[in-house]
Amino acid sequence: NAGVTQTPKFQVLKTGQSMTLQCAQDMNHNSMYWYRQDPGMGLRLIYYSASEGTTDKGEVPNGYNVSRLNKREFSLRLESAAPSQTSVYFCASAPEPSYEQYFGPGTRLTVT
Amino acid sequence: AQSVTQLDSQVPVFEEAPVELRCNYSSSVSVYLFWYVQYPNQGLQLLLKYLSGSTLVKGINGFEAEFNKSQTSFHLRKPSVHISDTAEYFCAVSDPRARGGKLIFGQGTELSVKP
């Protein structure tokens, strides 16, 4: 089992460019999550999908969109990147809402 | 609303010494509790979890935590640390009855183990 995989590992964007971060899990989990991690601010939830077919906003959704493509995949899209979106992005999955989450290795994004 | 407070942002300790990382949470309902570890440039890894049952929970790498409902605490302990335990540790809480089942994370505690 690969667990939770994320692509790409690193990305540099110019302001205004768009990109999609990909996340997949092979644990047959129902719930998936996107976080960003910034120094001194811990992890902040961007969007989540409690089950296939549903998505909801988290704490910091502005500037992002998500798609729960199927049970395995949950993508995060930046439509028009801004320097404030420079961060490390983590995807996570859980067997059910509220249970322990399993994290991917992260994507380090820099917006110049 | 739930919140999690990790009382120490940095904890320096010598190798083979005991360590306690403190976590308090605020919630009016029963909760699930978790501790995660993050090594440099890696994702978060689950150390241990409390869902119900025994209040003393044992996890990986020799760590354990005790759930204290009256004090709303879930402190993480290890009797003897190694250099390899140097990492950032996150406490998290969830409400099993809340929609979406989000985890609320503390700000993290940097554990630095010195030889």
Side-chain angles (χ1 to χ4, degrees):
Chain A
N1 281 353
V4 180
T5 57
Q6 292 183 238
T7 56
K9 285 187 167 43
F10 301 93
Q11 184 72 49
V12 179
L13 291 178
K14 293 189 189 314
T15 297
Q17 287 184 317
S18 62
M19 79 161 296
T20 299
L21 281 65
Q22 306 286 354
C23 173
Q25 53 90 9
D26 62 1
M27 296 175 282
N28 200 36
H29 285 173
N30 284 315
S31 305
M32 297 186 75
Y33 306 82
W34 275 106
Y35 294 90
R36 59 178 290 172
Q37 185 178 34
D38 302 289
M41 305 196 73
L43 283 103
R44 293 183 291 170
L45 183 65
I46 304 171
Y47 270 93
Y48 65 100
S49 171
S51 60
E52 188 179 357
T54 69
T55 60
D56 283 288
K57 295 179 181 179
E59 186 184 354
V60 289
N62 290 346
Y64 305 95
N65 283 302
V66 290
S67 295
R68 183 75 184 264
L69 304 168
N70 48 54
K71 192 172 186 180
R72 287 187 65 247
E73 298 171 287
F74 188 40
S75 63
L76 178 72
R77 183 159 178 84
L78 286 70
E79 292 290 353
S80 178
S84 60
Q85 294 178 306
T86 292
S87 187
V88 182
Y89 291 85
F90 288 102
C91 177
S93 71
E96 296 293 341
S98 301
Y99 282 73
E100 67 273 18
Q101 294 179 11
Y102 295 84
F103 285 77
T107 294
R108 193 171 295 270
L109 175 68
T110 301
V111 183
T112 61
Chain B
Q2 295 170 330
S3 66
V4 177
T5 302
Q6 291 184 240
L7 296 158
D8 307 291
S9 58
Q10 295 180 322
V11 173
V13 64
F14 286 106
E15 193 174 20
E16 296 183 8
V19 71
E20 178 179 80
L21 306 184
R22 297 179 294 167
C23 173
N24 283 83
Y25 66 94
S26 66
S27 176
S28 59
V29 299
S30 295
V31 295
Y32 294 161
L33 293 155
F34 310 89
W35 274 100
Y36 285 86
V37 60
Q38 185 178 32
Y39 299 105
N41 299 313
Q42 293 188 27
L44 279 71
Q45 181 182 359
L46 182 69
L47 269 179
L48 48 80
K49 63 185 179 185
Y50 171 79
L51 305 182
S52 65
S54 173
T55 57
L56 183 62
V57 180
K58 293 192 184 298
I60 62 171
N61 300 342
F63 284 94
E64 63 181 33
E66 185 149 23
F67 169 54
N68 188 319
K69 188 173 183 179
S70 63
Q71 297 188 1
T72 61
S73 68
F74 191 55
H75 301 334
L76 181 70
R77 301 187 183 100
K78 186 169 182 177
S80 176
V81 294
H82 303 291
I83 298 285
S84 59
D85 292 322
T86 294
E88 189 152 23
Y89 292 77
F90 292 92
C91 181
V93 62
S94 72
D95 176 359
R97 287 172 289 183
R99 183 169 176 269
K102 296 171 283 186
L103 292 191
I104 308 299
F105 285 88
Q107 294 300 310
T109 297
E110 284 189 34
L111 176 64
S112 175
V113 182
K114 304 177 188 307

